[in-house]
């Protein structure tokens, strides 16, 4: 057995086994939406991945979750969600009352999806709904408070804002890289707002590369993706200001850690070397094996291309080049006279 084969077999035996998202969801008897929420809430620990890489779950994490008391029911109960109609039924109120409570921020959605009419359907954790009902019985029954009615009449709707804030805060709690943290705040700003905060186009491009994956839901049409993109962007002046301030603070930390990548620049090895220019003979062909860098050596003048000074000779008129040509043609002996 060769060293390479032995190393490969040894590495396969010691490396942790990782499962894809689909396989991990099957092992945990969760639907894909439930699995996404469990990862988002931190109930399932996923392996850190690079930008754009697929999520992977260790087999040890699957075994840990399967060994919890009451599995799989205990895990599924923690990620159980309800829409407006089901949530209203659980709380014993009308759907209109439930929607009003959600609009003023009494309950915050944890996920959403687009129905066939491309309308947003918000989902709420059942555990949080029951906890709110036990904590605020006065808002569940009886007449709506005056402040609540005034907010609803003024058009208040904080469902999208609270969902964005909840999602970004969850991702920030697990992000350590300063550029990733800055990208999380930048993901809530539209291109105009982002350009006002981050003037460097290379930094904006880097933030775009580092931004998190798309939100819950899988739109099957262009219009669906556009609708989901709108939900990702802050639309309230206070929320926009909050994200701009936090992005500015995070950018200061990110820039001090490392600069954003630029063309021809590697953050590890520094600027890329300048390509050397070939020295050309009088015939116009590059001399083999002889290169000169575009940067002059310390204390020595560099080459000046295109300059024809008094001492410069034009190709074809150099006596040395002419004698060499006569020797190659046999019309002149080396060091001798013309035939």
């Amino acid at each position: 057995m060769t060293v390479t084969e032995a190393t490969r077999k040894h590495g396969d035996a010691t490396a942790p086994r990782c499962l894809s998202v689909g396989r991990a969801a099957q092992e945990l008897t969760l639907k894909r939406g439930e699995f996404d929420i469990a990862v988002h809430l931190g109930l399932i620990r996923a392996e850190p991945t690079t930008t754009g890489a697929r999520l992977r779950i260790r087999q040890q994490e699957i075994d840990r979750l399967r060994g919890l008391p009451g599995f799989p029911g205990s895990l599924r109960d923690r990620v159980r969600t309800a829409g407006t109609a089901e949530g209203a039924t659980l709380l014993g109120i009308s759907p209109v009352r439930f929607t009003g409570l959600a609009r003023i921020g009494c309950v915050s959605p944890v996920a959403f999806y687009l129905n066939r009419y491309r309308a947003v359907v918000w989902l709420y954790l059942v555990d949080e709904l029951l906890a709110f009902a036990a904590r605020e019985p006065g808002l569940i029954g009886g007449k709506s408070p005056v402040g609540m009615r005034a907010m609803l009449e003024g058009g208040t709707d904080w469902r999208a804002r609270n969902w964005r804030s909840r999602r970004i805060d969850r991702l920030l709690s697990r992000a350590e890289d300063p550029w990733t943290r800055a990208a999380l705040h930048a993901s809530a700003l539209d291109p105009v707002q982002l350009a006002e905060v981050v003037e460097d186009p290379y930094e904006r491009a880097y933030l775009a590369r580092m931004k998190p994956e798309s939100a819950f839901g899988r739109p099957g049409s262009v219009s669906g993706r556009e609708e989901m993109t709108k939900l990702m962007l802050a639309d309230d002046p206070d929320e926009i200001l909050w994200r701009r301030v936090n992005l500015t603070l995070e950018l200061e930390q990110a820039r001090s850690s490392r600069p954003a990548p630029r063309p021809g620049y590697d953050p590890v090895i520094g600027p890329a070397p300048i390509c050397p220019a070939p020295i050309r003979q009088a015939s116009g062909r590059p001399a083999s094996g002889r290169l000169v860098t575009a940067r002059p050596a310390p204390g020595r003048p560099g080459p000046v291309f295109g300059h024809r000074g008094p001492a410069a000779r034009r190709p074809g008129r150099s006596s040395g080049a002419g004698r060499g040509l006569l020797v190659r043609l046999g019309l002149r002996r080396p060091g001798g006279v013309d035939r």
Side-chain angles (χ1 to χ4, degrees):
M1 180 182 297
T2 63
V3 176
T4 304
E5 293 174 351
T7 303
R8 184 184 301 113
K9 291 189 175 182
H10 179 71
D12 292 342
T14 58
R17 181 191 176 200
C18 291
L19 305 180
S20 64
V21 170
R23 180 62 180 174
Q26 292 179 2
E27 292 284 339
L28 298 174
T29 66
L30 294 176
K31 298 178 181 178
R32 180 57 188 273
E34 295 173 335
F35 183 88
D36 291 342
I37 293 175
V39 173
H40 174 66
L41 296 177
L43 302 178
I44 300 176
R45 294 192 294 263
E47 285 297 289
T49 58
T50 57
T51 305
R54 294 183 178 182
L55 202 65
R56 308 289 288 181
I57 310 296
R58 284 194 179 188
Q59 181 64 52
Q60 291 89 332
E61 178 67 4
I62 302 298
D63 297 338
R64 181 187 71 84
L65 294 169
R66 291 177 64 90
L68 293 176
F71 179 86
S74 59
L75 180 59
R76 299 190 68 176
D77 288 343
R78 297 179 69 181
V79 295
R80 181 187 171 194
T81 58
T84 299
E86 185 179 357
T89 302
L90 286 173
L91 300 184
I93 58 179
S94 67
V96 175
R97 182 68 171 264
F98 183 90
T99 301
L101 293 172
R103 285 178 56 185
I104 65 174
C106 292
V107 291
S108 299
V110 69
F112 73 91
Y113 68 89
L114 301 179
N115 62 16
R116 59 179 178 176
Y117 304 107
R118 297 194 297 277
V120 179
V121 179
W122 295 107
L123 298 175
Y124 307 83
L125 285 174
V126 171
D127 284 350
E128 292 183 356
L129 295 180
L130 298 178
F132 168 75
R135 186 175 63 252
E136 300 289 347
L139 293 176
I140 299 300
K143 191 176 181 180
S144 300
V146 177
M148 177 179 175
R149 294 198 303 268
M151 293 177 67
L152 294 176
E153 291 173 358
T156 301
D157 190 350
W158 288 349
R159 288 175 294 181
R161 173 179 178 173
N162 287 343
W163 171 80
R164 283 190 296 267
S165 178
R166 180 175 189 163
R167 173 176 178 267
I168 292 177
D169 289 345
R170 280 284 183 181
L171 294 174
L172 284 171
S173 66
R174 300 195 295 265
E176 297 181 358
D177 179 71
W179 281 102
T180 301
R181 296 179 61 85
L184 288 170
H185 292 289
S187 65
L189 297 176
D190 61 40
V192 175
Q193 296 284 344
L194 182 60
E196 291 179 356
V197 180
V198 187
E199 298 181 356
D200 190 338
Y202 297 111
E203 290 184 342
R204 293 199 301 271
Y206 194 39
L207 291 174
R209 285 170 49 191
M210 301 295 291
K211 71 179 181 180
E213 298 295 329
S214 58
F216 296 111
R218 298 168 183 81
S221 62
V222 175
S223 57
R225 288 191 292 271
E226 292 176 351
E227 186 64 31
M228 290 181 65
T229 301
K230 293 179 182 178
L231 290 175
M232 300 292 296
L233 301 178
D235 54 5
D236 183 82
D238 292 340
E239 182 186 6
I240 293 174
L241 178 61
W242 175 254
R243 292 303 168 195
R244 287 173 63 115
V245 171
N246 281 275
L247 174 57
T248 302
L249 297 176
E250 293 290 352
L251 271 178
E252 293 180 0
Q253 298 292 329
R255 288 164 178 162
S256 62
S257 66
R258 66 180 185 275
R262 298 173 181 272
Y265 182 86
D266 191 314
V268 178
I269 65 175
I274 299 178
C275 297
I279 296 179
R280 296 185 177 274
Q281 294 178 335
S283 61
R285 297 180 181 178
S288 60
R290 299 184 59 192
L291 297 177
V292 60
T293 58
R295 292 181 177 177
R300 297 178 59 185
V304 181
F305 300 100
H307 173 69
R308 296 181 182 271
R313 294 178 178 176
R314 298 184 180 180
R317 296 190 180 183
S318 172
S319 58
R323 287 195 298 269
L325 178 60
L326 294 177
V327 171
R328 289 196 299 272
L329 295 177
L331 299 179
R332 184 181 179 86
R333 296 176 183 176
V337 297
D338 297 345
R339 292 185 179 180

